[in-house]
Amino acid sequence: MMAAVRRLVLLVMLVALAIAAPAAAQTTPVETASRQLAGAETALDAVDKALDGKVDRETRGTLRDQALGAQSDAREAAEQLRSQLALVDARIAGLGPPVAGVVEAPDIRAERRALAQARSALDSKVKRGQLVAVEAGQLVTEIDETQAEEINQRIAVRTPSPLSPHFWSDMFAALPRDSRRVSTFLSREWAQIDTGLRRGFPIGALLGALLALVMLIPVRQFLRRIGQRYLIADAPGHRVRRSANALWRVFVGTTMPMAAAFLFVQGLRWSALLAPAWNALADALVIAAAFSGLTAAVGAAFLMARQPSWRVTTLTDATATALRPVAWAFATLTFVVILANAFNTTAGVSPTALLGTQVVEVIVHLILIAGTLVIIGRLRAAEAADGESEAEAAASAGVGAITLAVWLIVAGAGLALLIGYVGLAITITQAVIWATLLGVSTYLLMVVIDDVATSLFQRDGRVGLTLRHGMGISGSAVDQFGVLLSAVLRLAVIVVALGLLLYPFGAGFGSFLDRVGGLARGVEVGGIAISPGTIIRFVAVLALGLFLVRQFTGWLDHRYLPSTDLDSSVRNSIRLVARYLAIALAVVWALASLGIGMERIALLLSALSVGIGFGLQAITSNFVSGLILLAERPIKIGDLIRVGTDEGDVKRISVRSTEIELADHSTLIVPNSELITKSVLNKTLAGPMGRIQIHFSVPIASDADRVRAIVLETFVAEPMVLDAPAPAVLIDGIGDGRILFNCLAHVASPRSTGEARSNVLLTLLRRMRDEGIELGTVPQRVEWVTVPPQLGDAAAG
């Protein structure tokens, strides 16, 4: 028995150890951040040591990326350690400062020492992380400056002009050696092909070539057709179909040539037909196919020469047809230039041969750009001859300004080439080509973003109906959100495009993107980090809070309040107060997601109190008055009140104003402070009944009892007059030979007094006429007074 118990205890201990082992193996956040910081320091040291030697452009770009990664890791580690430091500070604050003359318990002293040591270590690591981030930024700046200096040197170098004999003499002098180098380079590949073919049939190369051909032609065409068919069947709206088709064509036109080139190269490698010296050229083939495919696809998606109904631009068919060969020419030139540069680099030709290749490249680029400008000029002239509208004339003027600027740039590049600044000329031509490609791509992407955002957030769309019915957002707000979202996303695309405009010409220019990335990481304002992520989180939390507010008020209004015995006015007061309190809580919750605590909110409110006291005094007074109206309820919805000379029914009470519907169905909006501080007649406050009062007189010879009876019978005959309180007919007095009657009766509502009084008067007039009793008011007597002559003379004197 004892042996069984021991085995059971041992088994329980083993299970406990097995469960506790993973927990023990888990690392704390401080250890994780410390390891991340140590890795960032190691990477930064490696970059610093690598920069001590001579590095080329590609290696420099790699080192720059490593430095940026180390900087990001150091910042993230420092932020994590700073949060842990805040926790330690909170624990220290919980212990409180030592009290002089009071001996603390040993465990408290030990805890205080441990916390002090932990805080010192964390503070040191946080400062170390900040220092590593600063050092990484300095290394990135150094790399950028080196790259920019290298570009400046390349642009400023002057070579012999292509028109000078010295240029051609150097070219012919280097030709034999370059021919031998190219021959050697080609012979290596021929030898590799011969060796590969001797091993057997190159099934891999054949398969790669067939797959490349299939990807390039039938698969590409099939994907285009299937994309259009799907968009026609399922995409919502013509604009979304049109823009999505353009984006799909760019994607297919870029990936298919790249995939075809990759499969072709891999087929050669599978069959061992590619020499090791040709690997860089094979990789350049894939890059050239991707980049030229992108150029052709962007041009085709922009022009849509064969499918004008899918065109996203306002180009005419003649313009699209005329510019279509230009796009293919630029794509072909891009493919040839990338391969030529890679071939010269891998073959190891002389600098003179490289210079000659660059001269040819610049000349071909300039001819192609100039030809494109000539075509655009002819198209503009033809459109001007056919007549243009005002908008078309403005657009044509903008195109003319851009065309003139490009002509000046082309002329400058040609002049730089003629005087020997080949580096400057090739940089200018590449900048024009890259800017054109980037501009067209940015335009297409902006059109896609605008179409998708405005179509997705449309009041009658699925998302719009969900937002309207689920969160109570108005239709115009949904449309406005779509427009604002489109504007924000397009602005982001423009910022990225500006950063990419000069990025291929040197990493130093790419620091613009790093600054944009710094904005994405956020800026600190008053101790609060504001970044796109925190703003999105704030909007999401606020939207969720308002959605919960709507659900709560809906439950309160439709489920809970109807189950009570409260009248509609009390329900409205409870609903309004609960709604504003819930909205206030939702706003506080959203502010808390930004890191703004209640103490900051209180500080903000205290800072605004002066402004509220002066500039917002009237609004604050109306707000407080509205709360008083909702709480004390001297005026309720449905009451008949008189404010000044205006009388009407209370239709709505908000925290700022009260709406009163007048007799002519117009609405009088009264500030709540007017209803609190001034006299208001509420005819239905004490009760819902109204009173009719009729004054008339009869001759003194009339039978007063008969008159009283007739009036009472008239009151009884009127259905709107109540039996209780009973009608009353009183004699107010006798004067000037007439009896004055004051008749009173009550109706169910003050709103019925006018109609009931009219009915009673009609009946009363008819009855009195039948009885021969004259009704009227106190008659006016006019007497002629003769003035004595002596009084008149005295007055005249």
Side-chain angles (χ1 to χ4, degrees):
M1 183 69 181
M2 294 300 296
V5 172
R6 284 195 298 269
R7 285 195 296 269
L8 180 61
V9 172
L10 181 60
L11 179 62
V12 171
M13 293 177 63
L14 291 176
V15 171
L17 288 176
I19 296 176
Q26 293 179 356
T27 58
T28 62
V30 175
E31 294 175 350
T32 302
S34 300
R35 284 201 298 267
Q36 186 176 3
L37 181 58
E41 290 178 331
T42 303
L44 195 62
D45 291 339
V47 172
D48 193 10
K49 292 179 180 178
L51 289 176
D52 292 338
K54 185 177 181 180
V55 293
D56 55 8
R57 180 179 176 181
E58 295 182 359
T59 306
R60 194 180 296 115
T62 303
L63 294 175
R64 185 177 186 278
D65 294 337
Q66 293 178 0
L68 287 175
Q71 185 183 40
S72 177
D73 292 341
R75 287 174 175 170
E76 184 178 354
E79 188 64 28
Q80 294 178 357
L81 292 170
R82 191 178 290 111
S83 62
Q84 296 298 319
L85 180 62
L87 295 177
V88 173
D89 288 337
R91 294 179 61 184
I92 293 176
L95 289 178
V99 180
V102 177
V103 180
E104 294 182 334
D107 55 343
I108 298 297
R109 291 198 303 271
E111 180 71 14
R112 194 183 298 278
R113 285 195 301 270
L115 290 176
Q117 294 175 358
R119 191 192 186 287
S120 177
L122 286 174
D123 184 65
S124 175
K125 291 181 180 180
V126 168
K127 293 178 179 178
R128 196 175 74 190
Q130 295 173 348
L131 179 61
V132 171
V134 172
E135 292 177 352
Q138 292 174 351
L139 287 180
V140 170
T141 303
E142 179 183 348
I143 294 173
D144 290 343
E145 293 175 352
T146 303
Q147 190 71 17
E149 182 64 26
E150 180 179 315
I151 295 173
N152 292 332
Q153 292 178 359
R154 185 181 64 186
I155 292 175
V157 170
R158 183 178 181 182
T159 60
S161 171
L163 301 179
S164 64
H166 184 61
F167 175 83
W168 295 103
S169 62
D170 291 344
M171 187 70 64
F172 285 113
L175 184 60
R177 185 179 299 276
D178 289 330
S179 299
R180 290 193 297 270
R181 290 178 178 176
V182 171
S183 177
T184 302
F185 184 70
L186 294 175
S187 63
R188 291 177 182 175
E189 179 58 22
W190 284 117
Q192 184 67 33
I193 292 175
D194 183 64
T195 303
L197 292 177
R198 289 179 181 179
R199 293 179 180 177
F201 185 77
I203 185 64
L206 182 61
L207 181 61
L210 290 176
L211 289 176
L213 189 62
V214 169
M215 297 290 290
L216 197 59
I217 300 177
V219 173
R220 184 166 60 93
Q221 297 294 336
F222 171 76
L223 289 177
R224 285 182 180 177
R225 289 194 298 270
I226 197 67
Q228 286 187 353
R229 192 175 306 168
Y230 171 78
L231 292 173
I232 293 173
D234 298 331
H238 173 70
R239 294 177 57 194
V240 176
R241 287 197 296 266
R242 182 190 62 182
S243 58
N245 177 69
L247 193 63
W248 177 249
R249 285 179 67 95
V250 172
F251 175 77
V252 173
T254 304
T255 56
M256 290 300 103
M258 182 177 64
F262 176 78
L263 291 174
F264 178 72
V265 170
Q266 286 300 114
L268 295 178
R269 287 172 175 166
W270 290 337
S271 299
L273 299 181
L274 193 64
W278 280 60
N279 284 327
L281 183 60
D283 295 336
L285 175 64
V286 178
I287 296 175
F291 206 84
S292 60
L294 174 64
T295 304
V298 168
F302 182 79
L303 298 174
M304 285 291 179
R306 296 182 178 178
Q307 294 177 316
S309 61
W310 290 87
R311 190 176 299 147
V312 299
T313 61
T314 57
L315 297 176
T316 62
D317 294 343
T319 303
T321 304
L323 293 178
R324 185 171 181 269
V326 174
W328 284 103
F330 275 111
T332 304
L333 180 60
T334 300
F335 183 81
V336 173
V337 167
I338 294 176
L339 277 186
N341 292 332
F343 182 84
N344 291 334
T345 303
T346 53
V349 298
S350 64
T352 304
L354 291 176
L355 180 62
T357 304
Q358 291 177 351
V359 170
V360 174
E361 177 184 341
V362 172
I363 293 175
V364 176
H365 272 100
L366 292 179
I367 292 174
L368 188 54
I369 295 173
T372 305
L373 295 177
V374 170
I375 294 174
I376 294 175
R378 291 178 178 177
L379 291 172
R380 291 182 59 237
E383 292 178 357
D386 295 338
E388 296 178 340
S389 63
E390 185 177 352
E392 292 175 346
S396 179
V399 174
I402 296 175
T403 303
L404 178 61
V406 177
W407 270 119
L408 294 176
I409 293 174
V410 169
L415 180 62
L417 177 64
L418 292 178
I419 62 179
Y421 288 99
V422 180
L424 177 60
I426 195 171
T427 301
I428 292 175
T429 54
Q430 289 177 353
V432 172
I433 301 298
W434 173 249
T436 303
L437 178 61
L438 187 62
V440 175
S441 303
T442 302
Y443 176 81
L444 289 176
L445 188 56
M446 290 173 63
V447 170
V448 172
I449 289 174
D450 184 61
D451 291 344
V452 173
T454 54
S455 300
L456 183 63
F457 293 95
Q458 195 174 15
R459 66 176 68 190
D460 297 329
R462 292 183 179 178
V463 177
L465 292 175
T466 302
L467 293 175
R468 289 170 59 189
H469 298 301
M471 301 183 64
I473 300 177
S474 62
S476 61
V478 175
D479 294 338
Q480 292 172 22
F481 179 78
V483 174
L484 291 176
L485 178 63
S486 171
V488 171
L489 293 179
R490 286 189 294 170
L491 180 61
V493 169
I494 292 175
V495 171
V496 174
L498 291 175
L500 293 175
L501 185 60
L502 297 176
Y503 190 75
F505 306 101
F509 299 107
S511 59
F512 178 80
L513 293 181
D514 298 335
R515 295 188 182 96
V516 175
L519 292 178
R521 288 189 296 269
V523 295
E524 189 168 339
V525 179
I528 302 171
I530 304 297
S531 65
T534 57
I535 293 176
I536 293 175
R537 183 169 65 248
F538 170 77
V539 173
V541 172
L542 182 60
L544 178 59
L546 295 179
F547 172 75
L548 295 177
V549 169
R550 178 176 174 80
Q551 296 299 317
F552 169 71
T553 54
W555 170 83
L556 191 67
D557 193 25
H558 299 292
R559 295 295 302 274
Y560 175 73
L561 291 178
S563 64
T564 64
D565 296 331
L566 302 175
D567 57 26
S568 60
S569 180
V570 178
R571 294 179 187 178
N572 177 72
S573 300
I574 295 176
R575 181 174 64 251
L576 286 178
V577 173
R579 179 172 178 268
Y580 285 110
L581 288 177
I583 290 177
L585 292 177
V587 172
V588 171
W589 184 26
L591 292 176
S593 67
L594 289 176
I596 303 176
M598 290 301 299
E599 66 282 355
R600 293 181 180 271
I601 297 176
L603 182 62
L604 178 64
L605 292 178
S606 62
L608 292 176
S609 60
V610 178
I612 292 175
F614 290 96
L616 304 178
Q617 184 177 4
I619 296 177
T620 306
S621 175
N622 290 326
F623 180 81
V624 174
S625 300
L627 296 179
I628 294 174
L629 289 176
L630 294 174
E632 296 184 356
R633 300 174 62 241
I635 297 173
K636 306 181 296 296
I637 294 178
D639 284 353
L640 180 64
I641 66 174
R642 177 180 295 171
V643 180
T645 59
D646 298 308
E647 181 178 315
D649 298 321
V650 178
K651 292 299 182 182
R652 182 173 179 268
I653 300 176
S654 65
V655 294
R656 191 194 66 85
S657 61
T658 298
E659 297 179 5
I660 303 173
E661 184 178 358
L662 304 181
D664 59 354
H665 301 289
S666 62
T667 301
L668 177 66
I669 301 176
V670 182
N672 289 331
S673 58
E674 297 288 326
L675 302 178
I676 293 296
T677 59
K678 295 185 179 180
S679 300
V680 178
L681 176 61
N682 190 339
K683 293 188 176 182
T684 56
L685 178 62
M689 291 188 301
R691 192 183 71 168
I692 299 174
Q693 186 173 13
I694 299 175
H695 293 275
F696 66 90
S697 65
V698 297
I700 196 170
S702 303
D703 187 354
D705 294 330
R706 181 57 184 164
V707 172
R708 182 176 181 276
I710 292 174
V711 174
L712 291 176
E713 291 173 1
T714 302
F715 280 145
V716 172
E718 174 57 38
M720 301 179 68
V721 174
L722 300 177
D723 296 335
V729 179
L730 306 174
I731 296 178
D732 278 350
I734 300 174
D736 296 329
R738 304 187 69 85
I739 304 174
L740 307 179
F741 282 89
N742 184 11
C743 309
L744 304 174
H746 292 82
V747 293
S749 172
R751 300 168 185 84
S752 305
T753 55
E755 181 181 359
R757 189 170 185 273
S758 176
N759 296 336
V760 169
L761 286 174
L762 288 174
T763 304
L764 190 60
L765 289 172
R766 186 172 56 253
R767 293 286 304 274
M768 292 299 182
R769 189 184 306 112
D770 295 339
E771 296 287 339
I773 301 175
E774 177 190 356
L775 289 181
T777 59
V778 177
Q780 299 287 335
R781 292 191 305 170
V782 180
E783 297 182 358
W784 294 96
V785 178
T786 302
V787 180
Q790 60 273 19
L791 293 179
D793 295 338

